[in-house]
Amino acid sequence: PYPPHLPPPSPCPTRPRRRSANDGPLPRRHAAPHHLLSPQPPLSSSSVQLLRSLARSRRADLAHRALLLFRSLHASPSPPPPHFSLPAALSAASFLSALPEGRQLHALAAKLALAPAHTVVANSLLHLYASCGLPDAALALFRLIPAKSLVSWNTAIDALASNGDHLGALDLFREMQRDTTLPPDAYTVQSVLGACAGAGALSLGVYAHALLLRQLGGHGDVSRDVLINNSLVDLYGKCGAVELARQVFDRMPERDITSWNVAILTLANHGCVRESVELFDRMTRAENVVPNAITFVAVLSACNHGGMVEEGRRYFEMMVSEYRIRPRIEHYGCMVDILARAGFIEEALDVVSGMNCRPDAIIWRSLLDACSRQNAGVELSEAMAKLALDVPDDAVSGVYVLLSRVYAFAQKWNDVGMVRRLMSDEGLKKEPGFSSIEMDGLVHQFVAGDTSHPWSEEIYAKLDEIEQRLASSGYKPDLSEARMVAGMDHTKGAALRLHSERLAISFGLLKATPGAPIRILKNLRVCKDCHTISKLISELYGVEIIVRDRIRFHHFKDGACSCKDYW
């Protein structure tokens, strides 16, 4: 049992039920390895050596013992030098995400004048706050370190990248290159690759790849480094360059299970579902690599994106019966989504009833979304919405938005108004949508109706031109996903016109190099009308548009989309 005054280790957060095109970082090195975080204590200091060994164990029970040992050592008449013992204790607290204990250790370090003055102790504190999901605290501490080492920069960049502030991580990397003489190492570049993947910043990712080969090519032959190569596959996959991702994977001299998982998922997210499934078969049959739970999330995602119901059933059964992998919430979520989107809502409900764990809000929202798209009936949709709202979750507004869509399709406008009033009364707002596009190494972000961009006048003029050409081609707006109110069609059409991806596309047409694809990252699922006009624009302007939305990639080219209109 865990000591009563220490919290049990925090459970790892579960991934979404569908492996998303925007999913988080790959397994990677720690930005501040133990041998760099902590100075070597004197060999005679056996107690500190034991403390360091416990902290390095990567086991929750031993990490708890490390914290208890640290407390007893510093309560003894002759405590060890704190600049040796504090980094080890902070490492244990980081592994456990034990923020209260970490704050106490920070207070002790400040009392002893070791934070932020002592670089090694300060680096350990950076790693603690990053591990506890507090990148702002890590960055604030980083700014106070008087003598920043390479580990300081690496840990601060990774703190931002691993906690979702990808643009902040890239800005800090630029600052590092501008303000210091410290050359980046493999740890730096791996964090930067992850930040570029998260931000969809392809040109910056290519620059980081080139930097890796140019400056670090002779340091341990990084071209053979599995972790680096996995990050490169992930980078190119998440930036829409699926062919480059394939090249890196095919040229890898060594692969681990993560290499296969990333490649299978990358192909799935880009709509190359047959290639994704074939790669899984090659992995298991020709290469004799044993898949793990994440592998089956990836291959089930491929079946989901391709609408391959029979294959999804077969791989789920294979996972359970052949590989003896106990299904997790994300596997059930994939199967529910596969079945519900294909119209097998009753079978999807049977899967939910047979789950070995409690369904989460994502699963109920997936069923509600399928009900709303297939007009499965108001009563069933209301039941799904109630179940989704009964599960604690931060994305409550999404449930209300889906329910309002159900009522709108059923022409129950009073109920639509009731849902919107309920959202207003509870202080809920729909998640704001934004789209970003990288141009000349800078990431430009747009929100719906945005007029803050320096090129706004030119962007809206280009948007007017696009609309004229669309109208000439016979385009009619699809108002089904415009604002769910019983208003005039021209009002709904005006709302569609201001969607953020349309502004990003207009900017891309203005600034992109002729013949180069326009790459756009969107935080929400692309709507039907924007999907339609993106296909038309690709044909009318002879340009490829690559959109990464919350779920997957869409490659618009010659008037068609890689998703085959199934998303």
Side-chain angles (χ1 to χ4, degrees):
Y2 297 109
H5 61 284
L6 289 175
S10 302
C12 294
T14 57
R15 293 187 180 275
R17 85 284 185 220
R18 274 194 273 176
R19 286 284 302 182
S20 160
N22 301 328
D23 267 354
L26 291 166
R28 58 215 278 180
R29 296 181 179 86
H30 296 287
H34 291 288
H35 70 281
L36 293 177
L37 275 174
S38 307
Q40 292 293 332
L43 293 177
S44 60
S45 181
S46 58
S47 59
V48 176
Q49 292 283 12
L50 175 60
L51 177 62
R52 288 166 57 86
S53 297
L54 292 171
R56 287 178 176 179
S57 66
R58 316 304 297 167
R59 284 176 48 185
D61 56 338
L62 297 184
H64 278 292
R65 291 188 184 184
L67 293 177
L68 293 174
L69 177 60
F70 175 84
R71 187 179 67 176
S72 63
L73 287 175
H74 280 269
S76 65
S78 55
H83 61 280
F84 288 140
S85 57
L86 262 172
L90 285 166
S91 177
S94 300
F95 177 70
L96 297 170
S97 297
L99 183 60
E101 287 74 14
R103 290 193 186 279
Q104 293 178 47
L105 293 170
H106 189 175
L108 176 61
K111 179 180 178 181
L112 298 174
L114 292 176
H118 194 283
T119 303
V120 174
V121 174
N123 291 345
S124 301
L125 284 165
L126 289 180
H127 187 51
L128 166 77
Y129 288 123
S131 301
C132 293
L134 297 173
D136 292 339
L139 186 61
L141 177 62
F142 169 78
R143 297 296 183 193
L144 299 175
I145 300 175
K148 299 178 180 67
S149 66
L150 179 59
V151 175
S152 308
W153 287 96
N154 288 353
T155 311
I157 292 170
D158 189 69
L160 297 173
S162 61
N163 284 285
D165 187 1
H166 307 299
L167 296 180
L170 295 177
D171 287 341
L172 193 60
F173 175 64
R174 292 189 187 97
E175 181 183 333
M176 173 187 177
Q177 292 197 297
R178 183 175 61 249
D179 297 344
T180 76
T181 57
L182 295 172
D185 62 5
Y187 296 99
T188 322
V189 175
Q190 192 179 14
S191 295
V192 170
L193 291 174
C196 292
L202 179 61
S203 64
L204 289 174
V206 171
Y207 168 77
H209 190 178
L211 183 70
L212 188 74
L213 297 175
R214 184 174 66 249
Q215 294 189 8
L216 305 174
H219 297 182
D221 192 7
V222 294
S223 65
R224 301 184 63 87
D225 190 300
V226 175
L227 289 174
I228 290 290
N229 283 322
N230 290 347
S231 295
L232 288 169
V233 175
D234 188 53
L235 162 75
Y236 290 124
K238 288 183 176 176
C239 290
V242 65
E243 291 302 327
L244 289 176
R246 283 176 170 175
Q247 288 180 24
V248 174
F249 177 79
D250 290 339
R251 295 174 183 176
M252 288 176 67
E254 299 175 11
R255 303 185 184 99
D256 60 10
I257 185 62
T258 301
S259 311
W260 293 96
N261 291 349
V262 173
I264 292 168
L265 184 63
T266 294
L267 292 170
N269 284 337
H270 283 270
C272 308
V273 292
R274 287 297 172 188
E275 294 92 329
S276 178
V277 169
E278 288 169 2
L279 189 61
F280 173 85
D281 292 339
R282 170 187 157 194
M283 165 190 163
T284 54
R285 296 173 185 173
E287 305 289 342
N288 294 318
V289 177
V290 178
N292 61 14
I294 296 175
T295 317
F296 279 100
V297 172
V299 75
L300 287 172
S301 295
C303 297
N304 193 5
H305 292 321
M308 300 188 300
V309 177
E310 284 302 322
E311 290 86 345
R313 292 176 179 137
R314 179 167 62 86
Y315 284 119
F316 190 87
E317 177 62 25
M318 178 192 298
M319 176 184 71
V320 175
S321 60
E322 184 174 341
Y323 290 99
R324 305 296 180 186
I325 296 174
R326 190 168 185 259
R328 302 196 309 213
I329 188 74
E330 51 264 45
H331 300 118
Y332 286 118
C334 283
M335 278 308 301
V336 167
D337 221 26
I338 290 170
L339 295 168
R341 293 174 68 213
F344 299 97
I345 295 178
E346 291 296 329
E347 186 177 349
L349 290 170
D350 290 340
V351 171
V352 173
S353 64
M355 288 173 59
N356 56 28
C357 53
R358 183 182 178 184
D360 61 5
I362 295 175
I363 286 181
W364 294 123
R365 285 203 304 271
S366 178
L367 284 165
L368 176 58
D369 186 42
C371 290
S372 69
R373 293 181 185 281
Q374 298 176 32
N375 298 319
V378 172
E379 290 185 4
L380 180 59
S381 299
E382 288 175 336
M384 296 298 104
K386 183 179 185 304
L387 290 165
L389 293 171
D390 285 344
V391 180
D393 187 78
D394 293 334
V396 174
S397 63
V399 178
Y400 286 121
V401 170
L402 289 172
L403 187 58
S404 68
R405 182 189 298 166
V406 170
Y407 289 141
F409 285 155
Q411 300 290 305
K412 302 183 74 170
W413 301 112
N414 289 336
D415 290 332
V416 172
M418 182 257 314
V419 170
R420 292 195 174 275
R421 282 194 301 274
L422 186 59
M423 291 178 65
S424 177
D425 292 344
E426 295 187 8
L428 300 173
K429 293 183 179 179
K430 180 183 176 183
E431 181 181 357
F434 69 83
S435 297
S436 62
I437 179 171
E438 185 196 25
M439 203 65 65
D440 299 327
L442 296 176
V443 177
H444 303 259
Q445 195 169 96
F446 299 89
V447 297
D450 200 341
T451 58
S452 63
H453 196 276
W455 282 62
S456 284
E457 187 175 339
E458 294 86 347
I459 289 170
Y460 279 96
K462 190 68 174 179
L463 192 58
D464 290 337
E465 175 202 311
I466 292 172
E467 290 185 339
Q468 290 173 8
R469 294 188 65 175
L470 289 172
S472 300
S473 69
Y475 157 75
K476 298 291 184 185
D478 181 347
L479 305 178
S480 62
E481 292 188 19
R483 294 188 62 193
M484 296 298 179
V485 293
M488 300 295 291
D489 281 356
H490 66 81
T491 304
K492 296 181 181 180
L496 287 172
R497 179 182 185 269
L498 300 178
H499 279 191
S500 60
E501 58 263 55
R502 304 191 187 204
L503 302 178
I505 290 173
S506 298
F507 182 67
L509 290 173
L510 285 170
K511 298 287 288 180
T513 304
I518 296 174
R519 304 175 191 274
I520 295 171
L521 184 153
K522 182 174 173 61
N523 69 323
L524 301 178
R525 178 185 176 276
V526 64
C527 75
K528 289 181 181 178
D529 193 65
C530 289
H531 191 270
T532 299
I533 71 153
S534 297
K535 290 191 294 183
L536 292 172
I537 291 172
S538 72
E539 184 175 27
L540 293 172
Y541 285 84
V543 64
E544 182 179 6
I545 302 171
I546 301 173
V547 177
R548 172 180 135 191
D549 73 4
R550 171 175 281 178
I551 302 299
R552 61 172 297 157
F553 277 88
H554 300 265
H555 292 252
F556 302 100
K557 188 175 182 180
D558 299 328
C561 180
S562 58
C563 74
K564 299 178 175 60
D565 299 336
Y566 187 84
W567 84 102

